[in-house]
Amino acid sequence: MSNDRKLIRFTAATGFSVVLEFRSTEEMKEYEEKIKGAGLECINLADFNLNFDQADLFMDMRSLECREQFDLEDWI
């Protein structure tokens, strides 16, 4: 099992910087395609640290609670 983190960052339609972390590459790619399909720039991150990196919103999509609270359509 790989320890590589699956992270993407995009600037939402609201102008907020959003970072999402996923359990699987397939799930990350699904979100990435939706974001790019909405005309927003989306980049892959090698790492992200809440204490040192900048983001208006960080959601750990590996958590069921975060998944239920985050609606991508609200951000794109």
Side-chain angles (χ1 to χ4, degrees), residues 47-60:
D47 199 12
F48 183 80
N49 184 309
L50 288 173
N51 295 321
F52 301 109
D53 294 319
Q54 179 89 21
D56 296 308
L57 177 67
F58 173 82
M59 295 297 284
D60 185 347

Side-chain angles (χ1 to χ4, degrees), residues 12-29:
T14 59
F16 287 104
S17 172
V18 179
V19 174
L20 304 174
E21 182 164 8
F22 298 94
R23 183 178 314 268
S24 71
T25 301
E26 294 79 23
E27 184 180 22
M28 179 184 73
K29 293 293 184 190

